[in-house]
């Protein structure tokens, strides 16, 4: 193909553009995506920041004062126990550590490239706290929190807890003739011979024809890589240029801090003049009605009313932990304790 004909082909690769705020726009089957990037200060003895919290609206601290947030935590940053029903959470942690606990009896400390994939299904209560462990230096935390919908037939599936360890998540590095590097991390959705760990059994991503993918691209300045076309015509592919400089989709620029829905039926060359990072979310839409009330995502108002009634009646198993902000000690080692008590250390 000549350069001129290729340019004509890629001129319409970008279907829609949007700016990235705190919560990023998402498209079915995705419900929600937030990039948490907090420059936490040194730690105190209680795993929280060793500074005054007097100016913060504790319990609802989302302002980003001094470059970090307590979120819903009062002593430890993070999200104390809260319920979910009807969807999944995927938490991809790039820096720092997250301490998980839930109503199934599971616990985990994960981070530094690990992913937690949690099917809320019929109902679960969990907490995600961000313990600060270093009293002598800053404690940066960076993660993506992604919500993936469940189809009606799986909204009341059994809850399922999974950890995808960093060492088990496949990556590919493409090195250009000039030595520039482009790396792709494959969290979900096989890419050529790169096959990530399996998603939970009731996930929309567990069906190969849904083409659900979560990929993270890291590009040196001058580097590029090519994403293959999707198989299904209905599959939606969205790119988020969240860090670094502008990127190019074919010949079309995509500014830093910008997202784009792109054609999924065409080969896609992604390149950068300066170092840049991109998150890719892709999947075939579930194409069912969505009704959301806070932490519950169902198909109609009746489903929401039932979720509220069930949570009031059962607490989705209750909260088996003594603390409302549970953390797992000073040892930085990552681990997962399954609901059946089986203990697994990060490889």
């Amino acid at each position: 193909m000549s350069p001129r004909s290729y340019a004509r082909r890629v001129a319409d690769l970008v279907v829609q553009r949007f700016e990235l705020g705190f919560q990023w726009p998402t498209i079915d089957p995705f419900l929600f995506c937030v990039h948490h990037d907090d420059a936490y200060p040194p730690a105190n003895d209680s795993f929280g920041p060793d500074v005054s919290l007097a100016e913060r609206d504790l319990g609802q601290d989302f302002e980003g004062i001094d470059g970090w947030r307590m979120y819903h935590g009062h002593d430890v940053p993070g999200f104390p126990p809260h319920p979910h029903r009807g969807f999944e959470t995927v938490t991809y942690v790039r820096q720092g550590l997250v301490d998980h606990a839930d109503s199934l009896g599971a616990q985990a400390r994960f981070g530094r490239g690990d992913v937690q994939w949690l099917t809320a299904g019929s109902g679960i209560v969990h907490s995600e706290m961000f313990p600060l462990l270093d009293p002598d230096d800053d404690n940066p935390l960076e993660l993506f929190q992604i919500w993936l919908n469940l189809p009606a037939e799986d909204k009341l599936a059994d809850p399922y807890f999974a950890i995808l360890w960093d060492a088990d998540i496949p990556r590919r590095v493409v090195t250009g003739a000039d030595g520039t590097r482009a790396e792709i991390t494959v969290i979900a959705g096989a890419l050529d011979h790169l096959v990530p760990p399996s998603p939970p059994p009731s996930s929309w991503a567990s069906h190969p024809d849904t083409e659900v993918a979560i990929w993270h691209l890291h590009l040196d300045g001058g580097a590029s890589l090519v994403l293959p076309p999707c198989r299904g015509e209905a599959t939606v592919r969205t790119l988020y240029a969240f860090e670094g400089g502008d990127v190019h989709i074919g010949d079309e620029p995509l500014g830093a801090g910008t997202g784009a829905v792109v054609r999924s039926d065409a080969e896609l060359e992604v390149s950068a003049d300066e170092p840049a990072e991109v998150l890719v979310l892709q999947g075939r839409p579930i194409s069912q009605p969505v009704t959301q009330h806070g932490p519950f995502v169902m198909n109609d108002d009746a489903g929401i009313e039932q979720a509220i009634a069930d949570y009031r009646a059962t607490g989705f198993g209750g909260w088996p932990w003594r603390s409302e902000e549970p953390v797992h000690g000073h040892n930085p080692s990552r681990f997962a304790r399954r609901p059946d008590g089986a203990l697994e250390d990060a490889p």
Side-chain angles (χ1 to χ4, degrees), residues 15-302:
V15 177
Q16 179 184 359
R17 300 173 185 265
F18 47 82
E19 298 298 316
L20 303 185
F22 179 72
Q23 180 177 333
W24 298 351
T26 54
I27 296 175
D28 184 4
F30 297 96
L31 299 163
F32 176 93
C33 184
V34 168
H35 180 214
H36 295 290
D37 191 2
D38 292 280
Y40 290 113
N44 61 24
D45 293 337
S46 301
F47 305 98
D50 191 20
V51 296
S52 173
L53 303 178
E55 298 181 4
R56 296 175 181 270
D57 182 14
L58 293 181
Q60 293 287 340
D61 178 27
F62 287 81
E63 294 301 316
I65 300 170
D66 297 329
W68 53 274
R69 304 164 176 85
M70 289 294 289
Y71 298 103
H72 295 308
H74 285 78
D75 298 308
V76 182
F79 297 86
H82 55 282
H84 289 307
R85 172 179 274 189
F87 65 101
E88 300 185 286
T89 65
V90 182
T91 307
Y92 169 36
V93 185
R94 301 185 60 211
Q95 294 186 82
L97 295 168
V98 175
D99 280 359
H100 166 88
D102 66 38
S103 56
L104 301 177
Q107 293 177 300
R109 169 164 284 175
F110 65 101
R112 301 170 185 169
D114 302 327
V115 174
Q116 177 183 261
W117 198 315
L118 188 69
T119 302
S122 61
I124 193 170
V125 178
H126 75 145
S127 65
E128 298 164 294
M129 306 309 299
F130 309 149
L132 311 185
L133 301 187
D134 193 335
D136 301 316
D137 203 351
D138 291 341
N139 290 269
L141 175 84
E142 183 188 2
L143 62 84
F144 294 96
Q145 171 87 164
I146 302 164
W147 289 11
L148 177 62
N149 200 12
L150 288 167
E153 61 268 26
D154 291 319
K155 283 199 172 291
L156 298 183
D158 291 338
Y160 193 94
F161 164 86
I163 292 286
L164 284 56
W165 298 115
D166 173 73
D168 298 327
I169 296 173
R171 294 167 173 83
R172 170 187 291 167
V173 175
V174 178
T175 304
D178 57 356
T180 58
R181 291 161 51 95
E183 181 179 47
I184 183 166
T185 300
V186 179
I187 296 163
L191 179 66
D192 297 331
H193 67 279
L194 301 179
V195 180
S198 297
S202 296
S203 176
W204 186 242
S206 68
H207 307 281
D209 63 332
T210 62
E211 294 195 275
V212 171
I214 303 172
W215 300 331
H216 170 219
L217 282 55
H218 189 288
L219 305 170
D220 287 349
S224 67
L225 55 78
V226 175
L227 303 179
C230 298
R231 299 186 304 275
E233 293 182 359
T235 301
V236 178
R237 178 179 282 173
T238 307
L239 275 63
Y240 303 88
F242 68 91
E243 187 70 35
D246 297 351
V247 300
H248 297 272
I249 302 172
D251 287 344
E252 295 190 69
L254 182 64
T258 303
V261 180
V262 299
R263 278 183 52 189
S264 60
D265 61 344
E267 185 176 84
L268 204 70
E269 181 182 28
V270 183
S271 61
D273 296 329
E274 301 176 1
E277 298 187 58
V278 178
L279 185 72
V280 180
L281 298 182
Q282 170 189 295
R284 177 165 62 84
I286 294 173
S287 299
Q288 294 177 353
V290 173
T291 300
Q292 180 177 353
H293 180 77
F296 307 136
V297 180
M298 304 304 289
N299 296 111
D300 51 30
D301 291 341

Side-chain angles (χ1 to χ4, degrees), residues 1-11 250-251:
M1 180 181 294
S2 69
R4 179 173 296 177
S5 62
Y6 180 74
R8 284 200 301 269
R9 180 184 176 192
V10 301
D251 287 344

